[in-house]
Amino acid sequence: MIKGTFARNQAGQINEFTLTGHAEAGPYGSDIVCSAVSALAISTVNSLDALAGVIPTVETNDREGGYLHVILNLDDSMTQEQMNISQILLEHLLLGLQSIETEYLDYIMIQTESKS
């Protein structure tokens, strides 16, 4: 099962997310849940750089896969426009993953948590 956790700061902004596990909804290379989650997550990380001009901290497990941790440094060096674009992209990722979760409950679980 893929487990996704999104962390929100005190202002309600998403400042990090983690995706772990494998969906195992089909054979390797044909798993549509894994493909959809991977496409959304990678696209979001790439878009943070290309569209918002923000380079997040990214941790992956290149050997086994099934692990992505992204931290967005929400500090004073980020402009309001960068903040707005980043939040739209991260909220879009969250909504996309929640939509997948609705259709494939046995293969993906998404949660959000508040952090100070």
Side-chain angles (χ1 to χ4, degrees):
M1 174 178 275
I2 294 173
K3 294 182 181 176
T5 304
F6 286 74
R8 293 184 184 275
N9 63 15
Q10 288 180 331
Q13 300 162 318
I14 297 172
N15 57 357
E16 68 181 276
F17 70 90
T18 305
L19 296 170
T20 61
H22 295 281
E24 298 179 12
Y28 180 81
S30 299
D31 186 334
I32 62 170
V33 176
C34 184
S35 295
V37 170
S38 295
L40 283 171
I42 292 167
S43 176
T44 298
V45 172
N46 290 339
S47 293
L48 285 167
D49 181 17
L51 301 175
V54 173
I55 300 174
T57 301
V58 178
E59 294 177 50
T60 61
N61 180 333
D62 294 331
R63 283 189 165 173
E64 298 175 29
Y67 179 80
L68 174 66
H69 183 91
V70 176
I71 301 170
L72 192 62
N73 190 14
L74 304 177
D75 61 18
D76 293 337
S77 68
M78 191 181 292
T79 68
Q80 188 62 49
E81 182 179 24
Q82 287 175 312
M83 178 72 73
N84 292 343
I85 293 169
S86 296
Q87 289 306 300
I88 289 168
L89 291 168
L90 292 168
E91 292 290 350
H92 179 262
L93 172 62
L94 176 58
L95 288 171
L97 294 175
Q98 288 172 331
S99 293
I100 295 169
E101 179 185 34
T102 299
E103 296 296 319
Y104 298 96
L105 286 171
D106 293 336
Y107 305 105
I108 182 171
M109 180 178 63
I110 303 299
Q111 62 184 20
T112 58
E113 56 187 35
S114 295
K115 289 187 174 182
S116 11

